[in-house]
Amino acid sequence: MEAFLIILFILILLILIIIIYNYSSGEGQQNQRTYISCPPQKIEIPIKVTVSYGTGYTNDNQIIKGSRANPDSLWVSFGQSITVNNYEICDGLIYVGKNLVGEYGYIDPSLINPELPIDSSNPDHKGTSLSYWPSYSEISPQARAAYLEWLTRGRRTPDTNIGYVFLFFYGLERRILRDARTSDKAKLEVQEIVTEIEELLKVYNSNNSFCNYANSFLEYLKAAFLPDTLELDPSRLNRSWQYPLGLKIVLGSFAEILKPIPSEWALAWVENDPQRWLRTPAHRCRDEFSQLFALRYRDKYGDGLVVKPNATKIKVEYRPASNGFNNTFLKEIDKPDITVLDGPLRKIHEIAESCINDLDPYSRFIGRRSGDAKTLAAMALLPDELLLAIQDKIVNDLKQYLYNSTSTSSDSTVIKAKDLLRFFNLENKGKIAKADVVSITQLLGRFGYAVIPDIRFQEGQIDPQESVVVFKSKSSTQAVSTKAYSTSTMIMKLAVAVSASDNDISTNEKSILESQLNRMLDLTDYEKERLRAYLRWLYESPSEFTGLKRKLSELGVSQRESVASFVVQVANADGVIQTDEIKMLKKIYGILSLDPENIYSDIHKFQTSQKEELITIQPGIQKKTGYAIPKRKSNENTVELDEGLIQRTLRDTEKVQVILAEVFGNEDIQTTTTESKFIGVIGLDSSHSMLLNLLLEKDNWAHEEFYSICEKCDVLPEGAIETINSRSYEVLNDALIEEGEDYKININLAKEI
């Protein structure tokens, strides 16, 4: 029974499978029949295309029809006239006729065929229909009309499309490069063609392509036919994509006999270097650049650089502009071609580049103010060699005035500001711009003089109505104020103000002030020299101290006490405070609205706060008791400075400087709640400004050198680089210091400071 049921189940299953299969097959066939489509029909649509290029234009114009013409019979010589389709051409130098064979047996591109159609009513003056290599037989009738019109006008119309000039030029090339090989008549026309090309260059020299082809063709013609006419004047050479032939020949002649290359030819070598284009100062300041180059070239190489002759000979190559040629023409000259040598050229480029770098500030100035190139403000930016050699009247007059003003004094001289400013046309200005003041002080510094006041040293502004102090100074190139110097000037200013508070500065008070000069903090010799002149200027500027007591009284008690304490420190720098100094300190206390009687306790407090001198205990001796008294210090006239005290004093300078800057209205110092910031080089504080000035003395520093000068300027090396470069990016858009195996200075940027 079970077996029967199993068989029945299998049969039913098979029947179901057959039914499903048949149903699926039938549906598939039905679907296939439903989606059968007819193949697409091929539709043909006739299109007629007509190409035209002017009336009567066909490609047959390029084909020689009949016998080839003799070139001499088609050539119109210079000075001859000919009429082509009512266009009268008077100056010749063209081919007119038929069947002038060019390259590959086709019509020469320059041939003017009078039988070809011309559209005189619609000439293509702009040359919009011209191809890159125009051929008279192929250009449109409108272009032919424009070309013939240009020829009738004498070939000197400046706004002509350069394609028409090249079309004419093709004929000049053909006359010499092909016809002159077999025609004596053509050989005699070389000079006329050279003259014509030179005249064309005067009109169409703005097109670089034409200039290159024309100048190269001229050189080939002169080398091959007119060697005595080659340009041998370095100032008249034409820069091109290759060295001028005249330059090669002259340099080769020097090398042949081991003769030094004069500076003017060395300059011509770098100026015509096709691989390098000299930067803007070499072109904008061409006269100054050539003068500076000559000075530095002679300074380094004397009569000139000597280059040994090499084996490479001078070759003159010319590849014609016309597509009527497919070859390059070559002429070899039996002279060494030293322009292929890299070594000598590299040495000359180094000199040229140094000149360009040093002229960059001057170039930028006259780029902005082209009309001021001969002013003293501009001349102040010239390199030393040029500035000191200038024989300009205004420069000589200024030098003479400075000499006369200081020749009778071994120290400093007081002059009226107006007398100095008249050399700069600033004597009638109400207020002198900072940029002008910096130009004045820089220029005087270049001549070996310094002026007080100088805003770079935070000494104040030059007032046309007041006096200035001028002194000779060749000992320093320092051009930024240090913290110590700035604070010293303010202390001196306060001391002079106190002395003048009773409308009189006694001789004794002046003596005390001047005696303090050598005690003033940690100043360089140049700063002491300036401070002495600054003190003299203060004597001449009583108006500086108007309302001083009122300003001081507005300070808080702690601020006034800080100033008083600092003055006591300075007075005690040599360990001794004299009686006259006590009197001066009392006057300062009085003007600070402090009790003058406190001066003694303040001095005692300051002195006892210092490290006590150790007392040496003598070894005990039998039957003797007590202590050995230390030997008393010698009371000699020599001053022994307490270096530790000086260093402690320096730590207080910024705090006092900020206070006094507020009192004296010094705009060159910006303050915050914690420290003062001095506006120095590119806005750096005084320490980093001094560091940067030292770094600018050369363009490469070893690590040991860099760390040493950072230590002198009291800055951290790593932080100094970040500080200077950060400010440099803000002002000059680039880094001034590049850190690697050594520290490299970007001299180009430095010139902008």
Side-chain angles (χ1 to χ4, degrees):
M1 185 66 178
E2 291 180 355
F4 173 79
L5 291 175
I6 292 172
I7 293 171
L8 181 62
F9 176 79
I10 293 173
L11 288 173
I12 294 171
L13 183 61
L14 288 173
I15 292 170
L16 289 173
I17 291 173
I18 292 170
I19 293 172
I20 293 172
Y21 174 79
N22 289 334
Y23 176 80
S24 299
S25 299
E27 186 178 20
Q29 291 175 0
Q30 182 180 3
N31 289 341
Q32 187 176 7
R33 288 193 299 270
T34 302
Y35 290 99
I36 290 177
S37 60
C38 297
Q41 296 181 358
K42 184 177 181 181
I43 302 175
E44 295 184 359
I45 301 176
I47 299 176
K48 183 178 180 180
V49 179
T50 302
V51 179
S52 62
Y53 196 74
T55 306
Y57 172 81
T58 66
N59 287 330
D60 291 342
N61 294 337
Q62 281 285 79
I63 300 174
I64 299 292
K65 298 176 182 179
S67 59
R68 298 184 177 188
N70 182 348
D72 283 349
S73 67
L74 303 181
W75 176 253
V76 182
S77 300
F78 179 76
Q80 292 182 345
S81 298
I82 190 170
T83 300
V84 179
N85 297 80
N86 297 322
Y87 290 93
E88 185 178 1
I89 304 169
C90 298
D91 296 322
L93 299 181
I94 54 175
Y95 292 97
V96 179
K98 297 173 61 178
N99 293 346
L100 179 64
V101 179
E103 199 72 28
Y104 312 115
Y106 291 103
I107 295 294
D108 191 273
S110 65
L111 176 65
I112 299 174
N113 185 347
E115 297 181 1
L116 295 178
I118 298 170
D119 187 358
S120 301
S121 62
N122 188 29
D124 182 14
H125 292 127
K126 293 184 178 180
T128 55
S129 63
L130 292 179
S131 63
Y132 186 79
W133 278 292
S135 172
Y136 186 86
S137 61
E138 291 184 321
I139 61 177
S140 69
Q142 294 81 10
R144 292 187 192 118
Y147 178 56
L148 293 175
E149 185 178 314
W150 176 71
L151 292 175
T152 61
R153 291 181 177 179
R155 306 188 289 263
R156 303 292 186 267
T157 310
D159 57 351
T160 298
N161 183 285
I162 201 66
Y164 296 125
V165 183
F166 267 112
L167 185 55
F168 171 73
F169 184 72
Y170 295 164
L172 304 182
E173 287 183 325
R174 187 224 160 83
R175 187 60 177 163
I176 302 301
L177 298 179
R178 179 161 293 149
D179 295 354
R181 288 184 291 184
T182 57
S183 170
D184 292 335
K185 180 182 177 182
K187 291 177 183 177
L188 296 175
E189 295 172 330
V190 173
Q191 183 59 65
E192 294 172 349
I193 289 176
V194 165
T195 302
E196 177 66 17
I197 295 173
E198 290 174 341
E199 292 300 316
L200 289 172
L201 278 169
K202 293 178 182 178
V203 180
Y204 305 106
N205 56 10
S206 61
N207 186 276
N208 291 332
S209 179
F210 180 72
C211 279
N212 286 335
Y213 276 109
N215 283 316
S216 297
F217 189 35
L218 283 175
E219 286 193 345
Y220 179 81
L221 293 179
K222 292 178 180 181
F225 300 96
L226 306 168
D228 294 336
T229 65
L230 281 167
E231 184 59 71
L232 302 181
D233 182 349
S235 65
R236 298 182 60 184
L237 297 174
N238 294 305
R239 180 183 172 88
S240 180
W241 58 276
Q242 60 184 357
Y243 283 111
L245 178 59
L247 174 67
K248 289 186 175 184
I249 290 176
V250 171
L251 294 179
S253 299
F254 290 142
E256 276 184 321
I257 58 176
L258 297 178
K259 181 179 178 180
I261 300 174
S263 62
E264 60 270 21
W265 282 103
L267 178 60
W269 192 352
V270 294
E271 286 186 320
N272 288 278
D273 181 0
Q275 302 301 319
R276 292 181 64 176
W277 178 256
L278 299 179
R279 291 186 289 115
T280 301
H283 310 285
R284 182 185 287 158
C285 323
R286 178 62 177 76
D287 291 342
E288 291 80 6
F289 172 66
S290 61
Q291 292 171 23
L292 185 60
F293 178 88
L295 290 170
R296 293 186 177 179
Y297 180 78
R298 284 195 288 267
D299 182 60
K300 187 164 187 177
Y301 294 111
D303 292 336
L305 182 66
V306 177
V307 180
K308 295 180 180 180
N310 54 334
T312 304
K313 299 298 180 181
I314 297 174
K315 295 181 179 64
V316 187
E317 295 184 9
Y318 181 65
R319 184 171 185 81
S322 171
N323 65 350
F325 296 90
N326 68 347
N327 58 314
T328 298
F329 293 83
L330 178 65
K331 171 72 176 178
E332 185 173 289
I333 298 175
D334 189 23
K335 283 186 180 296
D337 185 3
I338 66 171
T339 62
V340 302
L341 302 176
D342 291 333
L345 181 60
R346 191 183 312 114
K347 294 177 181 178
I348 300 173
H349 263 301
E350 288 174 359
I351 297 175
E353 195 63 26
S354 74
C355 296
I356 290 171
N357 289 338
D358 290 347
L359 281 170
D360 201 41
Y362 175 76
S363 172
R364 290 176 182 272
F365 180 90
I366 65 175
R368 296 190 301 267
R369 298 162 59 177
S370 58
D372 295 340
K374 297 302 180 183
T375 62
L376 288 174
M379 295 179 191
L381 301 173
L382 288 171
D384 287 340
E385 301 100 312
L386 296 184
L387 179 64
L388 299 178
I390 287 178
Q391 294 302 317
D392 187 88
K393 183 179 185 303
I394 190 170
V395 174
N396 292 334
D397 288 348
L398 175 60
K399 288 181 179 179
Q400 190 63 46
Y401 172 75
L402 293 171
Y403 174 79
N404 293 340
S405 299
T406 58
S407 60
T408 58
S409 173
S410 59
D411 197 358
S412 57
T413 302
V414 179
I415 61 175
K416 292 181 179 179
K418 275 192 173 183
D419 291 342
L420 176 63
L421 294 175
R422 65 184 172 86
F423 291 97
F424 300 86
N425 297 321
L426 297 171
E427 67 273 22
N428 296 320
K429 291 278 188 179
K431 184 177 181 180
I432 312 300
K434 288 187 177 182
D436 290 328
V437 173
V438 171
S439 293
I440 293 170
T441 54
Q442 285 179 337
L443 183 60
L444 266 60
R446 306 278 292 284
F447 291 150
Y449 297 89
V451 63
I452 305 289
D454 185 339
I455 59 173
R456 297 176 301 167
F457 289 86
Q458 300 168 10
E459 296 163 342
Q461 177 68 285
I462 294 177
D463 186 340
Q465 307 306 319
E466 300 294 340
S467 298
V468 296
V469 172
V470 177
F471 62 97
K472 295 178 182 178
S473 179
K474 299 180 180 178
S475 60
S476 176
T477 57
Q478 182 178 330
V480 65
S481 177
T482 62
K483 294 177 183 178
Y485 180 78
S486 296
T487 306
S488 298
T489 58
M490 291 189 183
I491 293 298
M492 279 296 179
K493 199 169 188 178
L494 176 62
V496 171
V498 170
S499 299
S501 61
D502 54 4
N503 297 319
D504 179 53
I505 304 178
S506 67
T507 302
N508 190 44
E509 286 174 327
K510 288 184 178 181
S511 177
I512 294 173
L513 290 172
E514 290 168 8
S515 69
Q516 291 292 329
L517 285 172
N518 291 327
R519 307 180 190 179
M520 277 296 179
L521 307 177
D522 189 16
L523 302 182
T524 65
D525 290 340
Y526 176 68
E527 288 174 331
K528 290 177 181 177
E529 184 181 20
R530 283 199 71 89
L531 196 58
R532 188 173 290 105
Y534 179 73
L535 182 58
R536 183 169 185 181
W537 177 70
L538 290 176
Y539 294 155
E540 302 293 329
S541 307
S543 60
E544 287 282 330
F545 313 119
T546 304
L548 176 62
K549 188 166 185 177
R550 177 184 56 79
K551 293 179 181 178
L552 288 170
S553 65
E554 293 174 355
L555 296 175
V557 175
S558 62
Q559 290 178 307
R560 284 181 276 126
E561 288 178 345
S562 294
V563 174
S565 175
F566 186 80
V567 173
V568 169
Q569 291 182 47
V570 173
N572 193 63
D574 60 354
V576 178
I577 300 180
Q578 304 292 343
T579 303
D580 289 337
E581 292 174 320
I582 293 289
K583 293 179 181 179
M584 177 66 74
L585 288 173
K586 284 186 175 182
K587 292 183 73 172
I588 292 175
Y589 269 55
I591 205 168
L592 287 171
S593 299
L594 299 175
D595 187 354
E597 295 304 318
N598 289 340
I599 185 68
Y600 299 103
S601 60
D602 288 346
I603 293 173
H604 177 73
K605 186 188 303 181
F606 172 74
Q607 291 180 337
T608 56
S609 68
Q610 311 308 312
K611 184 177 180 180
E612 295 289 340
E613 183 176 1
L614 293 176
I615 299 176
T616 303
I617 307 298
Q618 298 289 344
I621 301 177
Q622 189 176 4
K623 295 183 179 180
K624 290 185 179 181
T625 60
Y627 299 100
I629 299 175
K631 291 183 179 180
R632 186 174 182 177
K633 289 186 176 180
S634 172
N635 192 24
E636 297 177 359
N637 293 328
T638 57
V639 177
E640 296 180 7
L641 297 180
D642 185 339
E643 294 297 332
L645 178 57
I646 289 176
Q647 293 303 317
R648 287 190 293 276
T649 303
L650 284 172
R651 287 195 293 269
D652 296 332
T653 58
E654 288 191 7
K655 180 179 180 181
V656 174
Q657 192 175 24
V658 171
I659 297 172
L660 294 180
E662 183 179 344
V663 171
F664 291 113
N666 193 333
E667 298 177 356
D668 294 324
I669 299 179
Q670 299 176 348
T671 61
T672 65
T673 56
T674 57
E675 63 177 353
S676 62
K677 297 181 180 179
F678 304 91
I679 305 303
V681 181
I682 61 172
L684 294 167
D685 59 55
S686 58
S687 296
H688 289 91
S689 291
M690 176 169 283
L691 172 63
L692 183 54
N693 270 293
L694 292 172
L695 290 175
L696 295 182
E697 293 178 1
K698 60 180 184 177
D699 59 2
N700 197 73
W701 293 84
H703 276 258
E704 297 77 14
E705 295 177 308
F706 181 74
Y707 276 68
S708 176
I709 61 173
C710 284
E711 184 177 355
K712 289 180 181 178
C713 296
D714 195 26
V715 296
L716 295 174
E718 293 78 8
I721 295 174
E722 183 178 351
T723 298
I724 292 174
N725 280 343
S726 176
R727 187 60 186 157
S728 173
Y729 272 113
E730 292 179 17
V731 178
L732 305 173
N733 298 317
D734 205 349
L736 270 169
I737 304 175
E738 180 181 342
E739 186 177 6
E741 294 183 0
D742 294 326
Y743 294 96
K744 295 183 178 180
I745 307 301
N746 188 329
I747 297 299
N748 291 335
L749 286 183
K751 295 300 178 183
E752 298 187 34
I753 298 175

